[in-house]
Amino acid sequence: MAIKKSELYSSLWQSCDELRGGMDASQYKDYVLVLLFVKYVSDKYAGVPYAPITIPEGAGFKDMVALKGKPDIGDQINKKIIGPLANANKLSDMPDFNDPTKLGSGQEMVDRLTNLIAIFENKALDFSKNRAEGDDILGDAYEYLMRHFATESGKSKGQFYTPAEVSRIMAQIIGIRDAQTTNYTTVYDPTCGSGSLLLKVGDEASARVTLYGQEKDAATSGLARMNMILHNNPTAEIKQGNTLANPLFTSADGQLKTFDYVVANPPFSDKRWSTGIDPLNDPHERFKHFGTPPAKQGDYAYLLHIVRSLKSTGKGACILPHGVLFRGNAEADIRKNLIRKGYIKGIIGLPANLFYGTGIPACIIVIDKENAHTRKGIFMVDASSGYLKDGNKNRLRDCDLHQIVDVFNKRLDIPKYSRMVSVEEIEKNDFNLNIPRYIDSQQAEDIQDIEGHLKGGIPCADVDALQPYWDVCPQLRQTLFKANRPGYLDLVVAKQDIKPTIYEHPEFVKFIGSMNALFADWQQRSTETLKSLQAGYHPKNIIVDLAEDLLAHYTDKPLIDKYDVYQHLMDYWSTTMQDDCYLIAADGWKAETYRIIEKDKKGKEKDKGWTCDLIPKPLIVARYFAPQQAAICELEATLESVAAQMVEMEEEHGGEEGAFSELDKVNKANVTARLKEMKGESGELIVEEKAALEEWLRLCTQEADLKKTLKEAEAALDALAYTKYPTLIETEIKTLVVEDKWLTTISAAIHGEMDRISQALTQRVKELAERYETPLPLASSRVAELEQSVNAHLERMGFVINEYRRQS
């Protein structure tokens, strides 16, 4: 059976545990990723003639396995595996597998490296069979590891990785997807880190393009080279060196090589950017027409390098801190010159705390040289509020990413989110590009109406703000509200009747019915698509088609946000459906069961039952054994009732004079012993105590019998379900997976979104009603009434209130 994506990720992450303690994440990532690389290229290219990667004789993963347990394993890995492999493929700065300061010395190193190799030796990690063109499981696993390493590396060492979501945005807004790309189309990243951003842009192209990258850090440039190979881009050219001081991609005459597309996530505000370079005499003339960046702020140095590295029709995108949009002096001059040249096509403001090297908010500057002289404005997007809190970082969701790309590429003008800002308006603001100057993204305050509080009545303005609901249900407003006086309304129904009034209103019922029909239409279409899947298909293509169809299906529908609906599907894809689709792509529609074997601390294996990843047991039970499950549920309910009766009796008779007062602990043995002691005793209290103890004992026996019956019923049902799997035919499997599992779950999530929208109206109407239901005169009158009542009580108690007031 094919390995699931999630299992692949967890298996690889488990390998990191073998190294923890000796080094931090920024170091042990090198060892884990190199082993991943060796295993992959060995599976993929060993013995393959004319392969793009050379595996020297004796330098494959199987040769590494042969070194397990040997006392000189670290030295042998360096000499026999890593060295030859690196030399044959021009890989530099590989980690030292014989470093005792990181891996431990003696037997500790032997055990650590042996265990690490054993993890990759898992037969399920057969990478030659777990990769399809255009559906890169290994590349995704590498991406997963890089993200986790970046998270653990901390601020100072996590800059080798650009979050995948940001990389995808940049790849999709520079226009490479719609361009006529060929092998001669060039993409360049001057600060490529581990290469994830560069690869994302390459993936967006309609044809294979040529990738170029330069990275200052030697170890990270090695990771980038391996990353290119793991993502099936072995011909990508990655060079190591300082891009600003020594750009390594140049033409024959020494000038900078120019590219069709350039993307970058350079170090923010690099204070040492000018080391090794004379900015006033730059041989590549990067600053000549724009101005020299400040000595201690390198942001524009990198941006101007990108501008200089673009062809006359080139397009690029660069991640920079927000300061570049408004800082003055030299940077203000550079910014003004770039704007006047028309090179800045757009600016996208991102949420704070997205990046691993810093918590400050950043933006994407989009550069486009094509027809720059005709550009009359800059398109701005304020996407700072769309994100999900993920641990100590923020993360862009799929819906956030999609909305940013849609809005930017279609130039959609959305209040508080995006607009085209004319150069004329920018000039009036002294070429300041700070996004809040042009887009007010602040949410309107919920203003308290003074007259409403004084005289009562709900302000019409607050009810008018719910217009999207009234557009759908025009008569519902009249059902809920009536006129009070000009500008104010009264709630017609009681507060407790707001929800049923809304939910039962004919217009609202009709609206919910139309939304249910809308989903049913998509569900029917999707059912046919999903059931037609066959082994060998590309799961990534499926989810793209499915999600885009859902997004289009809910476009321009009232009240519901299409991106919220889209996110429900993408969440389910990432947690469950993705693994299922990869299993089907590898093995077809097979519902295979397997035993769950766990090891205890002593290494002893224990059978924890069985499971089926594609079709969980509850789905089989619900469709084929519902009567048996109903009987079990009835037994559980009876058992719960008996247990509750026992607890109730223990509480009722547990006092000092109660039937259980003589017992140290209420259990069957103690109750039975107490009844034996009471034989022959008489008296009214004794009779009552015996009756209580006998009733408890009866319930205890009934509980034990029920538990036994329940256990037997569950075992019988488990056996029935287990034996059902081998009898399932393909059509049954498809129905269970597509209808009972996938679409039922997605349906519940999307209908839950409709419930949330409906609840929002109910809560808002109730909030407004409560806010203005007691005007000030009435409140004052009630206070006076209460005061009089309290005073009357005090006077009856002998206190003269007026006397106390005079004394005070």
Side-chain angles (χ1 to χ4, degrees), residues 523 526-527 530-531 533 537 572 576-577 579-584 588-592 612-616 619-620 623-624 725 728-746:
Q523 184 176 21
S526 300
T527 298
L530 291 170
K531 285 186 176 182
L533 300 180
Y537 75 93
Y572 185 60
T576 303
M577 195 173 170
D579 279 338
D580 291 347
C581 285
Y582 273 92
L583 291 176
I584 296 168
W589 295 90
K590 295 181 181 178
E592 297 179 346
C612 176
D613 291 324
L614 191 60
I615 305 176
L619 294 179
I620 291 287
R623 181 164 281 273
Y624 299 105
Y725 282 90
L728 294 172
I729 60 176
E730 186 172 290
T731 55
E732 290 178 306
I733 294 173
K734 288 180 177 181
T735 298
L736 284 161
V737 174
V738 176
E739 296 182 25
D740 296 2
K741 186 179 183 181
W742 292 348
L743 291 174
T744 296
T745 305
I746 296 168

Side-chain angles (χ1 to χ4, degrees), residues 201-212:
V201 178
D203 287 343
E204 282 297 315
S206 57
R208 181 60 60 88
V209 296
T210 305
L211 305 180
Y212 300 85

Side-chain angles (χ1 to χ4, degrees), residues 287-342:
F287 318 127
K288 181 177 179 181
H289 303 291
F290 301 97
T292 303
K296 300 296 183 181
Q297 293 280 9
D299 298 313
Y300 274 107
Y302 289 100
L303 186 62
L304 292 176
H305 176 84
I306 290 173
V307 171
R308 184 68 181 82
S309 300
L310 283 169
K311 294 179 179 179
S312 60
T313 58
K315 298 164 177 57
C318 183
I319 301 169
L320 291 172
H322 271 275
V324 301
L325 302 177
F326 56 79
R327 289 195 296 249
N329 302 319
E331 290 184 309
D333 293 335
I334 297 172
R335 186 168 58 245
K336 178 170 63 175
N337 290 327
L338 284 169
I339 294 170
R340 283 180 169 169
K341 279 276 190 179

Side-chain angles (χ1 to χ4, degrees), residues 761-775:
L761 175 60
T762 300
Q763 291 170 4
R764 182 57 176 167
V765 172
K766 184 178 181 182
E767 180 183 23
L768 292 172
E770 291 177 342
R771 179 181 296 174
Y772 299 107
E773 69 180 343
T774 308

Side-chain angles (χ1 to χ4, degrees), residues 505-517:
H505 193 276
E507 291 176 337
F508 193 81
V509 171
K510 181 180 179 182
F511 167 67
I512 293 298
S514 67
M515 296 307 293
N516 291 340

Side-chain angles (χ1 to χ4, degrees), residues 30 141 239 281 347 386 427 532 580 678 737:
D30 300 338
K239 295 186 177 183
N281 295 289
I347 300 169
E427 286 182 356
S532 67
D580 291 347
M678 297 171 67
V737 174

